[in-house]
Amino acid sequence: MVRSHSFDKLLELKREKVMATVHRICAKRGLPLPSINFEGCVEEFEGQLAHYHPDANTICISERQLIIQNFDDLDATMAHEVSHILVQDHSPRFREEEVTSNMAGWKPPGGIVHITEWNKSAIEPNKEREIKPDMIRCNYHFCRKKADLTQCHHCQNYYCEVHLEPYEPKLGFHPDSTSNSGHPCAPFVDYLADKKKAEDKRYAEALGKLVKGKRETVSNDYSYDYAPSFDYSAYTHVISNNEHEPATPKSNRNWLILLVLVVALFLIYLFFIR
Ligand SMILES: [Zn+2]
Ligand SMILES: [Zn+2]
Ligand SMILES: [Zn+2]
Ligand SMILES: [Zn+2]
């Protein structure tokens, strides 16, 4: 099946929406963040909107369901699945938790004031019901092997050697259980985004410095036009040096400072002699 770019884009947005909603509900309710499996699951039965694996703290939602459900449906589905972290059946107690999760997942549209005092206690973190991650079997959905497990720094789940490496969860990627290494890790995406932001910032700073340096050079060249009798020997040395091997920014800077000083002295000299 050939899929259009906009179709893939929409699925990508839905996937982000699902992760954001789960993040929001878990953060507000103080629940352990589950992994989200978009890669398909053998345990899914037809017509199921999504399901939750308590042993792996994983929510599975298939691509098919991602296509069928709209953004509001996805919010409701995720509120339901996150509530299964607390209660596994569909008892009245579960329905209460589901209502609370729906509230916690609700994001007011821009311009609406969120009244936080209202039923605040219901969405306050619930420490006693915290769930411990499975530390015996690999938390990767398709693995579940009993092995020596190591905790992922990003999602805090436990994985065997093969599945420890985190990767960005991708749509339309169906691993055939054992042949693939690594685990889809939603918090890893945030980590990559933060890292990229830091790199971009460093790059922008370096560029800023470079541009500033260029400007200094230009203004110096300009001064030379008005100081034709200046002894160039020192300067030509730098130029010839630059032609063969670029001077390091630091030595360049020292030369510039020296030049500015010499030119300034020369101009003062000219001014007072005349
Ligand atoms: Zn599943
Ligand atoms: Zn359910
Ligand atoms: Zn992870
Ligand atoms: Zn594994």
Side-chain angles (χ1 to χ4, degrees), residues 80 84 90 94:
H80 179 100
H84 277 310
H90 292 136
F94 172 83

Side-chain angles (χ1 to χ4, degrees), residues 112-232:
I112 292 180
V113 180
H114 191 31
I115 305 162
T116 43
E117 287 312 307
W118 174 67
N119 214 348
K120 200 177 169 190
S121 60
I123 52 172
E124 216 124 78
N126 201 332
K127 285 272 142 60
E128 339 118 47
R129 276 184 282 184
E130 215 168 281
I131 286 189
K132 287 201 182 84
D134 185 352
M135 289 163 74
I136 296 163
R137 290 169 182 275
C138 173
N139 290 185
Y140 182 54
H141 195 59
F142 293 102
C143 177
R144 313 292 305 139
K145 201 171 69 190
K146 267 193 192 175
D148 277 346
L149 305 181
T150 314
Q151 193 176 27
C152 170
H153 300 304
H154 306 289
C155 62
Q156 317 297 328
N157 291 323
Y158 289 81
Y159 298 97
C160 72
E161 246 181 353
V162 182
H163 298 114
L164 179 62
E165 195 76 17
Y167 64 80
E168 226 173 299
K170 280 205 174 66
L171 270 185
F173 171 72
H174 300 280
D176 51 273
S177 62
T178 49
S179 65
N180 284 283
S181 60
H183 68 275
C185 187
F188 182 59
V189 180
D190 297 340
Y191 165 78
L192 286 181
D194 285 350
K195 206 172 126 185
K196 189 166 182 300
K197 230 184 268 167
E199 262 165 24
D200 285 352
K201 201 180 154 208
R202 229 179 300 139
Y203 177 73
E205 276 171 10
L207 200 70
K209 263 185 207 159
L210 205 70
V211 169
K212 221 176 127 204
K214 274 258 168 64
R215 260 192 226 126
E216 271 172 27
T217 318
V218 169
S219 62
N220 282 332
D221 287 349
Y222 190 68
S223 323
Y224 275 113
D225 291 343
Y226 291 94
S229 54
F230 177 67
D231 177 16
Y232 276 87

Side-chain angles (χ1 to χ4, degrees), residues 237-253:
H237 176 67
V238 177
I239 289 172
S240 59
N241 234 359
N242 278 346
E243 273 164 6
H244 297 296
E245 46 178 285
T248 64
K250 203 179 172 189
S251 72
N252 236 341
R253 223 192 158 88

